[in-house]
Protein backbone atom coordinates (compact mmCIF):
# COMPACT_ATOMS: atom_id res chain seq x y z
CA UNK A 1 0.00 0.00 0.00
CA UNK A 2 1.35 3.42 -0.90
CA UNK A 3 1.23 6.68 1.00
CA UNK A 4 -1.89 8.69 0.25
CA UNK A 5 -4.13 5.67 -0.22
CA UNK A 6 -7.04 5.35 2.16
CA UNK A 7 -7.28 2.65 4.78
CA UNK A 8 -7.12 -0.96 3.71
CA UNK A 9 -9.29 -3.70 5.18
CA UNK A 10 -6.93 -6.61 5.70
CA UNK A 11 -9.31 -8.91 7.61
CA UNK A 12 -13.07 -9.25 7.23
CA UNK A 13 -14.50 -12.33 8.94
CA UNK A 14 -17.81 -13.62 10.26
CA UNK A 15 -18.32 -16.58 12.60
CA UNK A 16 -14.73 -16.44 13.81
CA UNK A 17 -13.70 -17.49 17.32
CA UNK A 18 -11.45 -14.81 18.76
CA UNK A 19 -8.90 -16.03 21.28
CA UNK A 20 -8.39 -14.42 24.67
CA UNK A 21 -4.94 -13.10 25.55
CA UNK A 22 -5.39 -15.11 28.76
CA UNK A 23 -4.71 -18.21 26.68
CA UNK A 24 -1.40 -16.95 25.27
CA UNK A 25 0.82 -19.01 27.58
CA UNK A 26 0.84 -22.46 29.07
CA UNK A 27 3.24 -24.10 31.51
CA UNK A 28 5.93 -26.16 29.84
CA UNK A 29 5.76 -29.84 30.64
CA UNK A 30 8.79 -30.92 32.72
CA UNK A 31 9.95 -27.32 33.23
CA UNK A 32 9.01 -24.35 35.35
CA UNK A 33 8.58 -21.88 32.53
CA UNK A 34 5.86 -20.45 30.35
CA UNK A 35 5.67 -21.18 26.64
CA UNK A 36 3.27 -20.03 23.94
CA UNK A 37 0.20 -22.25 24.00
CA UNK A 38 -0.73 -24.40 21.00
CA UNK A 39 -4.09 -22.58 20.86
CA UNK A 40 -2.31 -19.21 20.59
CA UNK A 41 0.07 -20.46 17.90
CA UNK A 42 -2.89 -21.80 15.90
CA UNK A 43 -4.78 -18.50 16.24
CA UNK A 44 -1.82 -16.56 14.83
CA UNK A 45 -1.69 -18.93 11.85
CA UNK A 46 -5.43 -18.50 11.24
CA UNK A 47 -5.07 -14.71 11.25
CA UNK A 48 -2.42 -15.09 8.56
CA UNK A 49 -4.62 -17.39 6.47
CA UNK A 50 -7.50 -14.93 6.50
CA UNK A 51 -5.49 -11.77 5.72
CA UNK A 52 -5.71 -10.32 2.25
CA UNK A 53 -2.66 -11.54 0.38
CA UNK A 54 0.09 -9.35 -0.97
CA UNK A 55 -0.37 -6.53 1.54
CA UNK A 56 2.58 -5.35 3.61
CA UNK A 57 2.84 -2.21 5.73
CA UNK A 58 6.38 -1.13 6.49
CA UNK A 59 8.65 1.73 7.52
CA UNK A 60 5.93 4.32 8.22
CA UNK A 61 3.75 5.04 11.26
CA UNK A 62 0.44 3.20 11.13
CA UNK A 63 -3.12 3.48 12.39
CA UNK A 64 -4.78 0.13 13.06
CA UNK A 65 -8.52 -0.19 13.70
CA UNK A 66 -9.68 -3.53 15.10
CA UNK A 67 -13.40 -4.16 15.38
CA UNK A 68 -14.48 -7.36 17.06
CA UNK A 69 -17.74 -8.74 18.29
CA UNK A 70 -17.28 -11.08 21.19
CA UNK A 71 -17.91 -11.48 24.88
CA UNK A 72 -14.30 -10.57 25.68
CA UNK A 73 -13.21 -7.23 27.11
CA UNK A 74 -12.59 -4.65 24.38
CA UNK A 75 -8.78 -4.83 24.75
CA UNK A 76 -8.43 -8.56 25.41
CA UNK A 77 -7.75 -10.01 21.92
CA UNK A 78 -5.75 -7.05 20.57
CA UNK A 79 -2.24 -8.45 21.21
CA UNK A 80 -3.21 -11.80 19.69
CA UNK A 81 -4.56 -10.19 16.51
CA UNK A 82 -1.57 -7.87 16.08
CA UNK A 83 0.89 -10.74 16.64
CA UNK A 84 -0.95 -12.70 13.92
CA UNK A 85 -0.71 -9.76 11.51
CA UNK A 86 3.02 -9.48 12.14
CA UNK A 87 3.63 -13.21 11.78
CA UNK A 88 1.67 -13.19 8.48
CA UNK A 89 3.92 -10.41 7.18
CA UNK A 90 1.17 -7.80 6.90
CA UNK A 91 2.98 -5.69 9.49
CA UNK A 92 6.72 -5.42 9.18
CA UNK A 93 6.85 -4.69 12.92
CA UNK A 94 4.10 -3.91 15.41
CA UNK A 95 6.26 -1.03 16.69
CA UNK A 96 5.07 0.89 13.61
CA UNK A 97 1.60 1.21 15.16
CA UNK A 98 1.21 4.69 16.61
CA UNK A 99 -2.58 4.92 16.61
CA UNK A 100 -4.64 1.93 17.73
CA UNK A 101 -8.43 1.97 17.74
CA UNK A 102 -10.48 -0.89 19.07
CA UNK A 103 -14.26 -1.14 18.96
CA UNK A 104 -16.49 -3.86 20.35
CA UNK A 105 -19.97 -5.06 19.44
CA UNK A 106 -21.36 -7.55 21.93
CA UNK A 107 -24.51 -8.23 19.87
CA UNK A 108 -23.05 -9.96 16.82
CA UNK A 109 -20.46 -12.38 18.17
CA UNK A 110 -17.88 -13.82 15.80
CA UNK A 111 -17.21 -10.73 13.64
CA UNK A 112 -13.66 -9.44 13.14
CA UNK A 113 -12.44 -6.66 10.88
CA UNK A 114 -9.02 -5.04 10.79
CA UNK A 115 -8.30 -1.85 8.86
CA UNK A 116 -4.79 -0.42 8.52
CA UNK A 117 -3.62 2.87 7.08
CA UNK A 118 -0.48 4.93 7.03
CA UNK A 119 -0.60 7.99 9.25
CA UNK A 120 -0.13 11.34 7.60
CA UNK A 121 3.37 12.59 8.17
CA UNK A 122 3.61 15.99 9.85
CA UNK A 123 6.44 18.36 9.07
Amino acid sequence: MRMGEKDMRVIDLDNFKIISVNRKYTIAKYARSLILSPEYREFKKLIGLFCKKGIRFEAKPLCVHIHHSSRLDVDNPVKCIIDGLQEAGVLENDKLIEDLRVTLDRKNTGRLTVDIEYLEETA
Side-chain angles (χ1 to χ4, degrees):
M1 191 162 150
R2 295 181 200 108
M3 288 296 292
E5 290 182 358
K6 205 59 184 146
D7 60 308
M8 170 69 68
R9 178 148 297 167
V10 295
I11 296 178
D12 192 350
L13 298 172
D14 282 315
N15 300 316
F16 186 70
K17 184 170 179 0
I18 298 170
I19 191 173
S20 167
V21 75
N22 299 335
R23 299 192 183 258
K24 184 174 181 176
Y25 296 106
T26 189
I27 298 172
K29 201 174 188 178
Y30 310 116
R32 292 186 180 179
S33 62
L34 294 176
I35 59 171
L36 291 178
S37 72
E39 185 179 13
Y40 184 77
R41 291 173 195 265
E42 183 64 25
F43 181 82
K44 289 194 316 178
K45 286 180 188 174
L46 284 174
I47 289 292
L49 288 174
F50 291 115
C51 288
K52 287 188 179 176
K53 303 302 178 212
I55 299 171
R56 184 168 171 84
F57 291 86
E58 51 193 15
K60 302 283 184 187
L62 300 173
C63 173
V64 175
H65 180 205
I66 297 171
H67 174 81
H68 68 94
S69 54
S70 69
R71 292 189 172 90
L72 299 172
D73 290 344
V74 69
D75 63 331
N76 188 290
V78 172
K79 180 66 175 155
C80 306
I81 294 166
I82 290 173
D83 285 352
L85 291 170
Q86 185 170 321
E87 185 168 295
V90 173
L91 297 176
E92 178 184 49
N93 191 316
D94 58 4
K95 291 180 181 182
L96 295 172
I97 300 171
E98 292 186 5
D99 186 354
L100 177 63
R101 300 165 191 204
V102 183
T103 55
L104 172 65
D105 174 8
R106 294 192 191 277
K107 297 176 190 168
N108 180 19
T109 59
R111 181 99 174 106
L112 174 63
T113 61
V114 178
D115 299 312
I116 303 175
E117 65 182 309
Y118 288 112
L119 289 173
E120 295 295 324
E121 293 188 44
T122 56

